[in-house]
Amino acid sequence: MQSTFLNEKEGKALLSKFGVDVPKSFIADSVECVSRKIGSLTAPFVVKVVSEDILHKSDAGGVAINLNTAFEVVEAIRRMQAIPAIAAARIDGWLVEEMISSGMEVAIGGFYDRQFGPILMLGLGGIYIELLKDVTFRICPITEQDAWEMIHSLQTRKLLDGFRGGTVYDKQLLVQGLLKIGGKGGLFMTHQNMISELDINPLILTGSRLVAVDARIIQKNPNETREILPVGSVTSTDVDVAKKFESLFFPRNVAVLGASAKDVVIANTFIRRLKEFGFSGNIYPIHPKAEKIEGLKAYSNLSNAPNDIDYAYVAISAERVLQSIDLPPGKCKFIQIISSGFAETEQGRQQQEQLLRVAHRSQIRLLGPNCLGTYSPVGKLTFPKDAPTDGGTIGVVSQSGGLSTDIIKRGQWRGLRFSGLVTIGNSIDVTPVELLKYFLSDPATNAIGLYIEDIKDGRAVFDLLRNTRDLKPIVILRGGATRQGRLAAQSHTGALASGDEAWVALSEQTVVELVDTVDEFINVLLALQFLQLRTMTPTHKVVLFGNGGGSSVLGADCFARSGLDVSPFAPETIAKLEEIGFPPGTSVINPIDTPVRTLQEKEGFIAKEILDIVYDEAKPDAVAMHLNLAAFSGRGTSNPLQNLIDIITQTKRKRGADTHFVLALRSDRSEELDALRREYIELARLAGIPVYDEIVDMAKALRIVGNLERKMIFHRSQVWADPQ
């Protein structure tokens, strides 16, 4: 059975209950009743066909406007009755209503997202909304601040402010309209179990009114079961969340199922990597017959292990997993299942459900299935080979095991270090929101990365990030973000939805930034690892400093496109820089373009004089230095790069952490220069300096850092009320 929709009269009646202004109207069952009822309305009039068979009335010719008498209304109805598409439809009547005087046309719409719940849309321009697609989305319930930000985010917002001598409209009316539809007590949240899509297009914004002149509300399919999503149920992270997940990150007793006494299979490799990584706890291979595996005493099953198990690594077939984990309650805390074959078939799905029941009965938390497990440098738990053993400040939750290995290994050579990384696979038990709670409360974690393909509890994530007091910046890399539109879209709002609106809305409403590639993910996490976020004003004003005129020009373009300010210095600053006495070819306007021979002056210590003047006079939010390593090769016996890093370290210490410093070391990818580059990246890591491949990478990372700072500054400014 398909979804049904309320006719326009019914839809407007529902809107009216929530305080949305609608025109005065009546339903004419026939032309004979028009003259009798029309006396209650004031001309001019509008007449519209009412039919379940006709969703888009204007396209079918079912709308007539600027009618001034009952006779004109009757004639309009008769003309519509003669249109073949209308004549063939089931007609429920004719909606006659007062015509609203001209004003700004606005569209408010929404749809129900199965992961995040009701999503609200705003756009300006009536029919032009579909042409320009200038729309914005937010997860409901929205706040008044959300409503203002929705208006501000529209490119066409200037039309509300009297663009080119036009009318200035009261935006507060629009804010209140958005709250009546998508606010905490608004229509959409109250009727989220009924509404599939809604489309109020247009509303007319006049000098004193916001009036819904058309409304289309599509109800959910009667066969669809829908859980009413709670609102704001998470106000802080669990106080005992660290204790709950201690065994996942810091196990003392690890069991391994699936290792072989004869061959080297994946479970054997896991044991070897644990040993190589420095794990000092107990490792218990589980095997029905073997006495020893990898030099360790083996046990026939988990129940026979001499101690309770903190973490069990399971790499056996899906069919054997069930009987292996049916244990006395408390015997094993966490089981990580690397095995696949659960969710891919109907039989596998049934096994997965049974697996969860058995785990709950045995008081076991499940990680996976179909995941690689946990990487905890401090807890000495790992799945990648030769991963860094030193802990860091970045926590990551990933739905992909293979991608997690890329993040760890590629991040390793960039200087990225982790407080922990967890792969969750099918996430049938341990969920992303639980792990987000853990990392939010973990004192060793300063920033969080999340790779997600399909999240089952989007509403819980939204509520957690919206309401938590344990504020940390979060970067999300979303897999499967695009789709071919809604194939069966029944409303304008549905057709305008691309499939990623909820995630974009999440980033607009919380301290979250979205990225598109693994490289961007690593680049931003690298910045968050080393840069202490500004607490008063977000990063905007940048000084670009490096060698290579063309690179400096292109770099300035990159920063400008990223919304960052690389404005020329004031004349006084330029004069002070010129007093240093640079060799010919040096430019000190911003960007500061210094040939290699300039940076080699005083064995590189000339950079200290430059930076002191820049910090004292220009007072930037960030300094971005770029160096072409190839330009230093073979240019005399002096290599100033070590001194430059020392100078940057001293400058950071002197100036405090509020001014960011980032560095791009560009290489020609020759073996010699890449080796040198890695050496300097490690020196920079120890000095707390993020290093990037290219200038554009620095620009994008600083833009996102600035966005996160802006969100955190706003979030911290909110007044927290104790939950009732």
Side-chain angles (χ1 to χ4, degrees):
M1 184 181 296
Q2 294 185 345
S3 301
T4 60
F5 63 91
L6 303 182
N7 66 41
E8 185 174 343
K9 181 69 173 177
E10 294 168 335
K12 286 180 176 176
L14 183 58
L15 290 174
S16 183
K17 288 182 180 179
F18 287 86
V20 178
D21 197 355
V22 298
K24 289 180 65 177
S25 65
F26 66 86
I27 290 287
D29 298 323
S30 65
V31 294
E32 287 75 19
C33 71
V34 171
S35 59
R36 186 175 68 253
K37 293 184 176 182
I38 205 166
S40 62
L41 305 185
T42 301
F45 310 115
V46 177
V47 62
K48 306 176 185 179
V49 64
V50 179
S51 170
E52 288 189 7
D53 297 333
I54 302 173
L55 189 59
H56 301 297
K57 298 179 289 292
S58 296
D59 295 345
V63 179
I65 62 175
N66 285 318
L67 308 173
N68 293 295
T69 66
F71 175 78
E72 290 181 6
V73 170
V74 169
E75 287 300 301
I77 292 173
R78 286 175 173 159
R79 285 194 298 271
M80 292 181 199
Q81 289 174 328
I83 296 173
I86 295 177
R90 293 167 295 176
I91 304 301
D92 299 315
W94 308 90
L95 177 64
V96 182
E97 59 186 13
E98 293 180 348
M99 183 171 172
I100 303 303
S101 60
S102 61
M104 174 61 64
E105 292 191 352
V106 178
I108 296 177
F111 62 91
Y112 186 90
D113 183 279
R114 293 192 64 84
Q115 296 173 340
F116 289 91
I119 308 293
L120 189 70
M121 182 207 78
L122 171 67
L124 298 184
I127 63 171
Y128 297 108
I129 189 174
E130 296 176 63
L131 177 64
L132 301 175
K133 290 186 169 48
D134 182 22
V135 293
T136 185
F137 295 85
R138 294 295 185 275
I139 300 169
C140 297
I142 65 164
T143 64
E144 184 172 351
Q145 180 67 27
D146 289 327
W148 281 109
E149 289 182 354
M150 290 180 80
I151 296 170
H152 181 73
S153 67
L154 295 174
Q155 297 179 38
T156 48
R157 66 185 180 278
K158 292 181 180 179
L159 295 173
L160 297 171
D161 297 321
F163 182 68
R164 290 193 172 182
T167 303
V168 177
Y169 295 95
D170 184 357
K171 292 191 285 290
Q172 184 65 45
L173 289 171
L174 185 51
V175 168
Q176 292 305 312
L178 287 165
L179 290 171
K180 289 171 183 177
I181 303 300
K184 189 171 183 179
L187 182 151
F188 210 168
M189 290 304 297
T190 304
H191 291 275
Q192 62 174 290
N193 195 41
M194 178 193 87
I195 296 174
S196 177
E197 297 179 17
L198 63 87
D199 190 15
I200 313 168
N201 182 21
L203 297 98
I204 303 295
L205 183 60
T206 67
S208 59
R209 299 175 69 189
L210 177 67
V211 187
V213 299
D214 197 2
R216 186 177 297 111
I217 297 178
I218 299 172
Q219 301 179 86
K220 75 175 181 68
N221 189 312
N223 296 326
E224 176 190 348
T225 57
R226 185 181 291 179
E227 178 184 357
I228 298 295
L229 298 174
V231 178
S233 57
V234 182
T235 56
S236 184
T237 53
D238 295 346
V239 293
D240 62 343
V241 69
K243 185 175 181 180
K244 283 169 57 177
F245 285 97
E246 181 180 6
S247 295
L248 183 64
F249 290 93
F250 307 100
R252 294 177 295 277
N253 301 309
V254 174
V256 181
L257 285 73
S260 171
K262 300 177 181 179
D263 302 314
V264 178
V265 295
I266 191 169
N268 295 71
T269 301
F270 177 73
I271 293 173
R272 293 181 182 186
R273 287 181 182 171
L274 279 185
K275 291 179 177 180
E276 293 167 358
F277 203 60
F279 180 74
S280 59
N282 298 308
I283 303 174
Y284 302 129
I286 306 298
H287 193 282
K289 298 179 181 179
E291 294 185 2
K292 278 195 171 186
I293 293 177
E294 298 294 332
L296 300 169
K297 178 177 172 55
Y299 299 87
S300 59
N301 55 58
L302 282 169
S303 297
N304 290 338
N307 295 304
D308 289 345
I309 304 300
D310 295 303
Y311 186 103
Y313 177 95
V314 177
I316 56 180
S317 65
E319 294 77 15
R320 294 171 54 204
V321 171
L322 277 170
Q323 63 189 52
S324 299
I325 71 166
D326 195 356
L327 301 170
K331 178 61 180 179
C332 184
K333 295 183 177 69
F334 283 89
I335 286 183
Q336 174 238 320
I337 302 175
I338 193 172
S339 316
S340 59
F342 285 94
E344 292 82 356
T345 65
E346 180 58 35
Q347 180 183 356
R349 283 188 287 273
Q350 292 175 4
Q351 288 179 325
Q352 186 167 275
E353 292 172 4
Q354 188 178 357
L355 176 68
L356 190 57
R357 288 194 295 270
V358 171
H360 286 173
R361 185 173 66 231
S362 301
Q363 297 178 4
I364 296 170
R365 298 304 310 275
L366 291 178
L367 199 62
N370 194 22
C371 73
L372 292 182
T374 302
Y375 166 61
S376 174
V378 177
K380 299 306 174 189
L381 190 63
T382 188
F383 56 86
K385 181 177 175 58
D386 298 328
T389 57
D390 49 335
T393 59
I394 302 299
V396 173
V397 182
S398 173
Q399 206 161 8
S400 167
L403 193 68
S404 296
T405 301
D406 285 346
I407 292 167
I408 294 169
K409 297 300 293 181
R410 288 164 66 175
Q412 174 180 4
W413 301 116
R414 300 285 308 283
L416 198 59
R417 296 295 184 269
F418 301 87
S419 56
L421 182 150
V422 185
T423 66
I424 56 175
N426 296 5
S427 61
I428 65 170
D429 185 28
V430 175
T431 64
V433 72
E434 289 184 280
L435 293 167
L436 280 174
K437 285 182 185 180
Y438 172 81
F439 283 125
L440 283 168
S441 65
D442 176 30
T445 300
N446 291 340
I448 302 167
L450 180 64
Y451 172 74
I452 284 293
E453 295 169 0
D454 176 33
I455 194 165
K456 300 179 180 68
D457 49 1
R459 167 60 59 173
V461 171
F462 174 71
D463 281 339
L464 172 65
L465 300 184
R466 182 78 157 180
N467 299 294
T468 183
R469 303 182 190 191
D470 302 312
L471 197 62
K472 293 177 184 179
I474 297 171
V475 183
I476 295 180
L477 175 60
R478 169 95 164 93
T482 61
R483 64 183 182 185
Q484 296 300 314
R486 294 186 165 201
L487 298 179
Q490 294 175 290
S491 72
H492 294 296
T493 300
L496 289 162
S498 67
D500 206 29
E501 295 78 21
W503 291 96
V504 174
L506 180 72
S507 73
E508 294 289 348
Q509 293 172 270
T510 64
V511 187
V512 163
E513 280 290 303
L514 304 178
V515 295
D516 296 322
T517 68
V518 175
D519 284 332
E520 282 186 281
F521 189 69
I522 292 172
N523 284 341
V524 177
L525 291 178
L526 194 65
L528 295 175
Q529 173 176 280
F530 291 120
L531 305 181
Q532 181 176 315
L533 297 189
R534 295 166 57 85
T535 58
M536 300 300 292
T537 57
T539 298
H540 180 63
K541 186 178 179 182
V542 179
V543 170
L544 189 59
F545 175 18
N547 69 303
S551 296
S552 294
V553 172
L554 292 173
D557 290 340
C558 287
F559 277 84
R561 281 193 292 268
S562 294
L564 298 167
D565 180 12
V566 192
S567 297
F569 294 135
E572 297 81 3
T573 304
I574 294 173
K576 288 194 175 185
L577 286 168
E578 288 177 340
E579 288 175 4
I580 294 176
F582 294 111
T586 303
S587 173
V588 292
I589 296 175
N590 192 25
I592 300 174
D593 175 25
T594 53
V596 172
R597 63 179 178 275
T598 300
L599 291 175
Q600 287 179 318
E601 291 283 320
K602 305 176 185 178
E603 295 186 339
F605 284 98
I606 194 171
K608 182 179 185 305
E609 299 178 50
I610 296 172
L611 289 174
D612 282 342
I613 293 172
V614 165
Y615 278 105
D616 288 338
E617 300 295 326
K619 295 179 171 54
D621 301 327
V623 174
M625 178 176 276
H626 62 97
L627 299 173
N628 184 352
L629 293 178
F632 288 89
S633 180
R635 298 289 294 267
T637 58
S638 172
N639 188 337
L641 291 177
Q642 174 65 68
N643 290 341
L644 282 172
I645 290 175
D646 290 341
I647 290 163
I648 295 167
T649 305
Q650 294 168 20
T651 302
K652 284 180 57 182
R653 191 178 301 121
K654 176 182 177 182
R655 303 289 172 174
D658 210 28
T659 299
H660 303 322
F661 199 103
V662 293
L663 176 63
L665 292 178
R666 291 175 288 124
S667 165
D668 61 7
R669 302 306 182 195
S670 67
E671 186 175 335
E672 177 186 358
L673 282 186
D674 272 355
L676 184 64
R677 187 174 182 276
R678 285 193 176 186
E679 177 185 334
Y680 286 123
I681 286 175
E682 179 60 15
L683 291 172
R685 182 183 75 84
L686 296 174
I689 303 166
V691 178
Y692 296 92
D693 292 342
E694 299 291 344
I695 297 174
V696 65
D697 299 327
M698 289 195 297
K700 289 180 178 179
L702 281 178
R703 173 184 62 81
I704 290 178
V705 165
N707 289 345
L708 288 167
E709 288 169 334
R710 175 180 56 79
K711 294 174 183 180
M712 292 188 74
I713 290 167
F714 172 77
H715 194 95
R716 289 195 175 106
S717 71
Q718 302 306 291
V719 177
W720 288 95
D722 290 333
Q724 299 298 315

